[in-house]
Amino acid sequence: MKKLSISLLTALFIMASCNNDENSNNEEPEVVVNENPASFKEIGSITIGGEAAAEISAYDEKTKKLFTVNNSGTNQIDVIDLTDPTKPTKIGKIDLTAYEGASNSVAVYDGKLAVALESTVNKQGNGKVVVFNTTDYSVIKQITVGALPGIW
């Protein structure tokens, strides 16, 4: 009986000490913005190549730069300054030729740009992810991955 009482007391203590996240007062409530896509308007544009040249992009809020895979016969990431979104300006590029792969995906997080590169030699061959610094475009790391990598 003593073991049962201790077990019940322990279970009661554990259950009573659990925090219900829904009742937590320490967090700010999530803000939900109900935007109407029909009200969206173009405020600026830029030409960086032919048709489908800029279908894959990632925005770095820290540097106000847009990193765009340029598919118009080049193997590069175009860097576009969006400090003034009404006047986007191409300010640089990251040449991917040295990495022996074709870019098919980009993602930005915490000042880092990850570029997924598929093998240009064998579609079923290993690809790689190359991570760049979004400020000076220096290489932080290269990682060998499986075939046809993508970043979401």
Side-chain angles (χ1 to χ4, degrees):
M1 182 69 169
K2 188 174 185 178
K3 286 185 181 180
L4 179 60
S5 297
I6 290 174
S7 296
L8 286 173
L9 255 165
T10 303
L12 181 62
F13 177 73
I14 289 171
M15 291 177 71
S17 66
C18 290
N19 183 15
N20 183 349
D21 287 339
E22 291 179 16
N23 295 330
S24 177
N25 293 328
N26 298 345
E27 297 178 23
E28 293 181 27
E30 184 178 340
V31 177
V32 177
V33 178
N34 292 322
E35 294 181 297
N36 178 358
S39 69
F40 291 0
K41 295 179 183 163
E42 181 179 307
I43 60 169
S45 67
I46 186 171
T47 301
I48 63 167
E51 194 171 319
E55 66 179 285
I56 305 167
S57 299
Y59 177 69
D60 182 23
E61 189 173 353
K62 181 179 176 182
T63 61
K64 307 287 188 230
K65 294 176 185 171
L66 183 69
F67 296 88
T68 302
V69 174
N70 190 323
N71 288 329
S72 64
T74 63
N75 192 13
Q76 68 187 35
I77 303 293
D78 288 328
V79 183
I80 301 164
D81 179 15
L82 290 179
T83 304
D84 179 357
T86 64
K87 297 177 186 165
T89 307
K90 182 178 172 185
I91 58 170
K93 68 178 181 176
I94 301 172
D95 186 356
L96 300 173
T97 308
Y99 304 103
E100 300 173 347
S103 56
N104 63 10
S105 186
V106 291
V108 171
Y109 178 75
D110 195 29
K112 297 171 189 71
L113 168 70
V115 180
L117 300 165
E118 63 186 56
S119 173
T120 54
V121 177
N122 174 5
K123 287 278 190 189
Q124 297 305 312
N126 284 339
K128 61 179 79 169
V129 174
V130 183
V131 181
F132 297 91
N133 181 308
T134 59
T135 304
D136 62 9
Y137 322 135
S138 61
V139 175
I140 296 171
K141 189 171 190 172
Q142 291 186 56
I143 306 148
T144 300
V145 296
L148 301 171
I151 305 168
W152 295 277

